[in-house]
């Protein structure tokens, strides 16, 4: 890395720059912009991300600002994007690869399973793949077939890659910047439902949120609700409404699905003894089961009720006429909270 | 489609175009000969070691020496090589340590990389390394160097999606990549005519709008000069080339394979007389005044010593540490792996029952 190197201006978090009120998709664009500016090695690759600014406009204006050799419209080929990214990353670049929808990542599965995640291990760290794969995911936006998958568990099961799924503009920006500086590959899942569902004050410029740390989004003593991504909003809504029945919920957004923040889960469950796990992915083999396993190990003797899960069913995500029945709703979560509370 | 087989040395050792001789120095001929003899001796030793239970399953390349050495010698030290599991002859020629290559076939991860050398670990899935070459070459362009990448793959790999994706990306991006195909006639047991309906592999270059060369893969002179031309083109910014080197694998797919089930091995041995790349170079040397018995004897002895030393080094290499299973997956080990490691290490030391 002699000719191109990181140009790190502000190493520390700089909150003095001021705030802006933006959506999650704008926060993602902002993170990419900050890193393209700071680090010459950063390159964005994807389908329609250049001139068009991405199908969700996540890369809007970035090609114009940084040029066609850093924000690149690639041929339509997921395996090509990820495979080319492996070469770029091994040879000193910092590629950020957009897969247009998580449901379209499957052609690249082999590249991720055999190369992206194994290069460090196979070469004892001589060659590494510091890449970020960004993928919009999830149901609830009336998208066409296959566009609504939430298949994070394929990747949490795969050794050698971290999986992040933010639920707010602030977290999205801070976590994406951390992912782009991480020495190992990261899958960064972006909820389509949350892209424009609300605005939040986000610091301008560079700041990081720690990978592998969850966040308490609501404090309560009676029931722990654990979730991530688009379901954070739904779970919070359910938990808020339980206050009418004098049930106070601790709502945890785990934010990183691998590695999981075991402490935040254990601390809360040891306090409440009652747990509801919520995710929109299919139940069998879902990350909810890994959370159950953490609880089993760290807080089994504190449990006062069997753990409830509210998840997507073990069926392909239905087309949008029925997707609302597939997705966990606030009402289903309320039922589960009530069940564990009154056990 | 008209892609004539490029050949410099005929089977009888005569030159197709005698005027080329001035480009072939004694030094170059010696390099060709030394490296081909070296990697063949290595291949045979490795096969024997496997038979004696001193190596795991091993993939042989005997017959493909001209293709591997000729292409590898055309590379500069700063050029990248992306091999498959059958290209360790090329690796050794590009500077990989022999002891490490042996370690790989002895089930040691330490053998899949070559510190300080621009060599990828061998691709075990088929054709997945082609897109890697494109990215690696692209990074060189971004750094402003004129280093190129050479990526190996076999005839079977052309049926995979990654073959198309790699060539398409490279052609669109004008990446400095040489796609070096060794068409050895078989993908394990499936002959190339069952692999594709195309007359040749090289004709696929037309679809990508890139130059394609079909070269006699048993003619090291032709392989060397054609690879060199393709690399020069790449380095001048003129983009990728597809080279099809037509060659033959004399032996099995691996030590776990029995080729007599799918082809007539006696026929292969009869053909060897015509196609063996080392014999062809020997005839050329004999007819063109490069033969030097003393030097050949010394070379053979030096190779034998090198191989024996590498085997000793491999066998004396420190035992694999159990911790290695856990320690290299991430730069910083996540908690789940830390806990699994600690628990297992305590258990194996008898501290936990």
């Amino acid at each position: 890395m002699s000719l191109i190197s990181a140009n790190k201006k502000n190493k520390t978090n700089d909150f003095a720059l001021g705030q802006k009120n933006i959506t999650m998709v704008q926060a993602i664009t902002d993170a990419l912009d900050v890193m393209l500016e700071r680090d010459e090695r950063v390159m964005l690759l994807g389908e329609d991300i250049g001139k068009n600014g991405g199908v969700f406009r996540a890369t809007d204006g970035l090609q114009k600002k940084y040029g066609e050799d850093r924000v690149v419209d690639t041929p339509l080929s997921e395996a090509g994007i990820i495979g080319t990214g492996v070469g770029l990353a091994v040879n000193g670049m910092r590629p950020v690869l957009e897969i247009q929808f998580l449901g379209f990542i499957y052609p690249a599965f082999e590249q991720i399973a055999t190369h992206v995640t194994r290069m460090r291990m196979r070469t004892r760290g001589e060659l590494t793949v510091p890449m970020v794969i960004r993928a919009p995911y999830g149901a609830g936006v009336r998208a066409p077939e296959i566009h609504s998958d939430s298949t994070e568990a394929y990747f949490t099961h795969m050794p050698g890659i971290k999986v992040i799924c933010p639920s707010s503009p602030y977290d999205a920006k801070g976590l994406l910047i951390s992912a782009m500086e991480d020495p190992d590959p990261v899958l960064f899942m972006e909820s389509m439902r949350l892209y424009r569902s609300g605005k939040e004050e986000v610091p301008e410029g560079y700041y990081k949120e720690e990978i592998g740390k969850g966040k308490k989004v609501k404090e309560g003593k009676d029931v722990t609700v654990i979730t991530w991504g688009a379901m954070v909003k739904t779970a919070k809504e359910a938990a808020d409404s339980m206050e009418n029945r004098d049930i106070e919920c601790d709502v945890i957004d785990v934010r990183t699905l691998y590695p999981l923040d075991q402490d935040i889960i254990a601390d809360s469950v040891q306090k409440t003894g009652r747990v509801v796990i919520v995710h929109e992915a299919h139940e069998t083999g879902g990350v909810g089961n890994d959370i159950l396993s953490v609880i089993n190990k760290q807080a089994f003797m504190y449990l006062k009720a069997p753990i409830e899960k509210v998840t997507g069913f073990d069926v392909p995500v239905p087309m949008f006429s029925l997707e609302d029945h597939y997705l966990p709703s606030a009402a289903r979560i309320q039922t589960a909270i009530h069940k564990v509370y009154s056990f | 489609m008209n892609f004539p087989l490029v050949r410099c040395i005929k089977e009888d050792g005569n030159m197709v175009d005698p005027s080329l001789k001035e480009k072939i120095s004694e030094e170059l001929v010696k390099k060709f000969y030394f490296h081909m003899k070296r990697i063949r001796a290595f291949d045979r030793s490795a096969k024997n070691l496997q038979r004696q239970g001193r190596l795991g399953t091993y993939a042989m390349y005997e017959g493909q020496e001209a293709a591997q050495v000729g292409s590898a010698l055309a590379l500069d030290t700063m050029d990248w090589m992306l091999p498959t599991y059958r290209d360790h002859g090329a690796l050794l020629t590009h500077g990989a340590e022999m002891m490490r290559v042996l370690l790989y076939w002895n089930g040691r991860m330490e053998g899949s990389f070559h510190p300080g050398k621009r060599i990828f670990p061998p691709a075990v899935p088929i054709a997945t390394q082609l897109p890697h070459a494109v990215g690696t070459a692209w990074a060189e362009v971004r750094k402003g160097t004129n280093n190129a990448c050479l990526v190996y793959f076999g005839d079977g790999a052309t049926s995979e999606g990654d073959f198309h994706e790699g060539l398409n990306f490279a052609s669109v991006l004008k990446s400095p990549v040489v796609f070096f195909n060794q068409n050895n006639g078989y993908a394990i047991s499936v002959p190339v005519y069952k692999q594709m309906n195309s007359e040749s592999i090289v004709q696929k270059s037309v679809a990508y709008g890139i130059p394609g060369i079909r070269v006699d893969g048993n003619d090291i002179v032709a392989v060397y000069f054609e690879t060199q031309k393709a690399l020069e083109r790449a380095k001048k910014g003129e983009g990728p080339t597809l080279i099809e080197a037509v060659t033959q694998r004399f032996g099995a797919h691996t030590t776990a394979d029995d080729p007599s089930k799918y082809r007539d091995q006696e026929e292969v041995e009869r053909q060897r007389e015509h196609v063996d790349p080392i014999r062809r170079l020997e005839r050329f040397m004999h007819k063109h005044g490069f033969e030097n018995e003393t030097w050949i004897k010394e070379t053979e002895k030096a190779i034998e010593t090198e191989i024996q030393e590498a085997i000793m080094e491999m066998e004396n290499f420190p035992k694999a540490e159990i911790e290695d299973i856990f320690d290299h997956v991430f730069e910083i080990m996540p908690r789940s792996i830390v806990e699994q490691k600690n628990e297992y290490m305590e258990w194996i030391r008898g501290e936990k029952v």
Side-chain angles (χ1 to χ4, degrees):
Chain A
M1 268 329 303
S2 51
L3 297 161
I4 295 184
S5 58
N7 170 27
K8 287 182 179 147
K9 289 170 197 154
N10 319 304
K11 189 70 202 160
T12 51
N13 292 355
D14 190 353
F15 292 95
L17 284 166
Q19 308 265 328
K20 47 185 173 184
N21 197 33
I22 53 176
T23 61
M24 191 163 100
V25 72
Q26 287 169 326
I28 287 161
T29 315
D30 199 21
L32 297 169
D33 192 2
V34 166
M35 292 307 289
L36 280 159
E37 175 74 38
R38 282 169 69 89
D39 188 344
E40 230 187 309
R41 301 171 302 174
V42 171
M43 294 169 71
L44 313 188
L45 272 65
E47 298 156 8
D48 309 296
I49 68 160
K51 203 161 189 185
N52 192 35
V55 292
F56 290 102
R57 306 289 170 265
T59 51
D60 200 23
L62 297 177
Q63 188 182 66
K64 204 169 173 197
K65 192 167 172 189
Y66 297 100
E68 285 185 31
D69 59 338
R70 293 191 67 201
V71 180
V72 188
D73 278 321
T74 66
L76 203 166
S77 154
E78 290 77 16
I81 294 169
I82 305 290
T84 306
V86 169
L88 284 167
V90 162
N91 201 5
M93 298 298 132
R94 287 282 185 158
V96 180
L97 314 166
E98 180 176 301
I99 297 297
Q100 207 156 65
F101 294 85
L102 187 62
F104 297 164
I105 203 168
Y106 311 121
F109 201 80
E110 182 184 26
Q111 285 290 348
I112 303 170
T114 29
H115 298 293
V116 171
T117 53
R118 291 185 209 227
M119 190 64 81
R120 176 185 291 282
M121 184 274 295
R122 298 186 75 209
T123 65
R124 294 284 192 263
E126 181 83 9
L127 305 176
T128 58
V129 182
M131 79 164 44
V132 179
I133 302 168
R134 294 182 37 245
Y137 87 94
V141 296
R142 304 292 180 256
E145 215 187 343
I146 321 287
H147 290 61
S148 306
D149 282 12
S150 178
T151 47
E152 61 270 20
Y154 296 153
F155 302 96
T156 56
H157 186 69
M158 197 184 275
I161 189 165
K162 298 175 184 177
V163 182
I164 297 176
C165 186
S167 71
S168 71
Y170 178 90
D171 286 352
K173 182 174 171 186
L175 283 166
L176 183 52
I177 291 176
S178 290
M180 290 170 77
E181 291 196 340
D182 199 274
D184 287 301
V186 176
L187 173 67
F188 194 83
M189 291 171 49
E190 301 168 3
S191 162
M192 285 181 258
R193 221 150 55 114
L194 298 181
Y195 263 155
R196 293 185 170 81
S197 72
K199 289 187 175 181
E200 184 178 48
E201 290 291 319
V202 170
E204 285 177 355
Y206 175 90
Y207 69 93
K208 294 211 289 192
E209 279 293 291
E210 193 179 341
I211 297 172
K213 287 275 176 260
K215 190 179 191 175
K216 193 75 76 70
V217 295
K218 185 179 172 68
E219 190 81 36
K221 61 178 184 356
D222 301 320
V223 175
T224 299
V225 181
I226 305 167
T227 188
W228 59 88
M231 285 296 115
V232 172
K233 207 176 162 201
T234 315
K236 174 107 178 349
E237 194 187 315
D240 287 343
S241 71
M242 296 312 279
E243 284 172 6
N244 300 334
R245 301 194 224 177
D246 283 333
I247 302 173
E248 292 174 21
C249 295
D250 238 11
V251 181
I252 294 167
D253 173 2
V254 289
R255 301 197 295 182
T256 301
L257 305 178
Y258 189 88
L260 275 172
D261 182 349
Q262 300 193 26
D263 290 336
I264 197 168
I265 296 168
D267 287 350
S268 176
V269 178
Q270 287 173 10
K271 177 178 72 180
T272 64
R274 300 173 197 276
V275 186
V276 176
I277 299 167
V278 183
H279 60 68
E280 74 172 87
H282 323 294
E283 181 183 7
T284 298
V287 175
N289 293 346
D290 295 320
I291 293 171
L292 271 171
S293 161
V294 170
I295 296 168
N296 185 51
K297 204 165 171 184
Q298 313 265 8
F300 183 74
M301 300 305 283
Y302 295 84
L303 289 176
K304 298 171 190 158
I307 294 167
E308 277 294 309
K309 285 195 288 182
V310 185
T311 68
F313 307 115
D314 286 0
V315 301
V317 181
M319 286 186 75
F320 70 75
S321 62
L322 289 170
E323 70 179 346
D324 291 341
H325 292 283
Y326 172 86
L327 278 176
S329 61
R332 268 176 73 202
I333 299 168
Q334 284 165 18
T335 307
I337 293 171
H338 196 260
K339 193 171 169 190
V340 296
Y341 182 73
S342 52
F343 178 79
Chain B
M1 297 210 191
N2 195 19
F3 286 96
L5 194 70
V6 179
R7 181 180 272 183
C8 297
I9 310 289
K10 295 185 218 164
E11 284 169 0
D12 61 10
N14 289 321
M15 299 191 71
V16 174
D17 172 9
S19 72
L20 187 71
K21 189 168 178 244
E22 59 196 59
K23 285 181 76 181
I24 309 173
S25 66
E26 187 180 354
E27 194 197 341
L28 189 59
V29 173
K30 279 184 164 175
K31 253 197 205 174
F32 288 159
Y33 189 74
F34 164 72
H35 282 288
M36 286 207 289
K37 291 285 275 191
R38 177 174 179 255
I39 71 165
R40 175 164 296 179
F42 174 87
D43 193 55
R44 289 184 174 176
S45 300
K47 188 176 150 189
N48 289 337
L49 287 174
Q50 189 280 334
R51 296 281 185 248
Q52 296 161 23
R54 291 156 79 190
L55 282 186
T57 301
Y58 174 75
M60 291 85 79
Y61 51 70
E62 182 161 338
Q64 300 178 215
E65 290 89 349
Q68 296 198 11
V69 171
S71 54
L73 284 178
L75 291 169
D76 292 328
T77 348
M78 290 305 282
D79 293 329
W80 288 86
M81 177 182 281
L82 290 90
T84 74
Y85 52 80
R86 200 186 303 290
D87 299 315
H88 31 295
L91 291 192
L92 290 167
T93 310
H94 196 48
E97 216 184 322
M98 195 177 274
M99 185 272 295
R100 276 189 185 267
V101 176
L102 287 168
L103 276 179
Y104 182 73
W105 294 103
N106 207 17
R108 294 293 295 270
M109 212 76 259
E110 292 91 334
S112 74
F113 63 100
H114 304 277
K117 303 286 175 198
R118 307 194 112 190
I119 299 174
F120 267 58
V124 179
I126 304 304
T128 49
Q129 72 278 17
L130 273 67
H132 303 170
V134 181
T136 307
W138 189 0
E140 292 295 332
V141 173
R142 283 219 56 222
K143 291 185 215 173
T145 75
N146 62 1
N147 305 321
C149 288
L150 186 137
V151 56
Y152 291 106
F153 57 105
D155 37 291
T158 62
S159 301
E160 291 275 11
D162 279 347
F163 166 79
H164 165 66
E165 288 167 296
L167 267 83
N168 185 50
F169 266 65
S171 62
V172 170
L173 294 160
K174 266 192 177 291
S175 300
V177 179
V178 176
F179 292 97
F180 194 92
N181 177 264
Q182 291 173 80
N183 178 358
N184 70 10
Y186 284 88
I188 305 191
S189 67
V190 177
V192 74
Y193 70 85
K194 287 188 178 171
Q195 199 65 245
M196 60 187 199
N197 192 40
S198 318
E199 270 174 56
S200 67
I201 285 166
V202 70
Q203 74 187 56
K204 296 170 194 270
S205 62
V206 175
Y208 302 100
I210 62 171
I213 305 291
R214 192 160 202 252
V215 65
D216 182 340
N218 302 323
D219 172 355
I220 190 163
V221 177
V223 171
Y224 175 77
F225 285 118
E226 289 307 321
T227 311
Q228 208 174 45
K229 276 187 229 163
L231 283 164
E232 276 165 20
R233 237 185 339 256
K235 289 169 188 228
K236 276 193 283 185
E238 292 170 14
T241 304
L242 173 61
I243 296 178
E244 175 184 2
V246 183
T247 182
Q248 197 163 345
R249 143 164 77 80
F250 292 149
H253 164 65
T254 67
T255 48
D257 172 45
D258 173 12
S260 67
K261 287 183 80 174
Y262 52 84
R263 69 179 182 194
D264 180 356
Q265 280 302 101
E266 281 173 23
E267 175 59 24
V268 173
E269 281 310 311
R270 277 192 296 275
Q271 284 169 3
R272 184 193 275 264
E273 188 51 32
H274 308 289
V275 296
D276 187 320
I278 297 182
R279 288 191 200 168
R280 189 174 321 178
L281 185 69
E282 281 169 346
R283 287 186 201 113
F284 166 80
M285 287 163 75
H286 178 71
K287 288 187 172 171
H288 295 82
F290 292 112
E291 210 169 39
N292 180 339
E293 275 302 321
T294 328
W295 178 79
I296 289 175
K297 286 230 162 66
E298 282 169 11
T299 303
E300 282 171 349
K301 220 175 125 192
I303 289 168
E304 191 46 37
T305 310
E306 186 195 5
I307 293 172
Q308 289 313 318
E309 281 174 6
I311 294 170
M312 260 173 55
E313 256 188 282
M314 181 266 291
E315 294 191 327
N316 292 327
F317 199 76
K319 245 181 83 195
E321 300 282 347
I322 299 170
E323 286 89 341
D324 279 344
I325 300 173
F326 305 98
D327 289 350
H328 310 284
V329 183
F330 292 96
E331 184 174 279
I332 297 165
M333 215 187 289
R335 182 164 166 183
S336 66
I337 303 181
V338 173
E339 288 175 356
Q340 288 161 16
K341 177 184 171 183
N342 291 343
E343 205 169 305
Y344 185 68
M345 295 311 290
E346 281 171 22
W347 180 81
I348 207 152
R349 285 193 300 255
E351 291 162 21
K352 260 192 180 174
V353 281

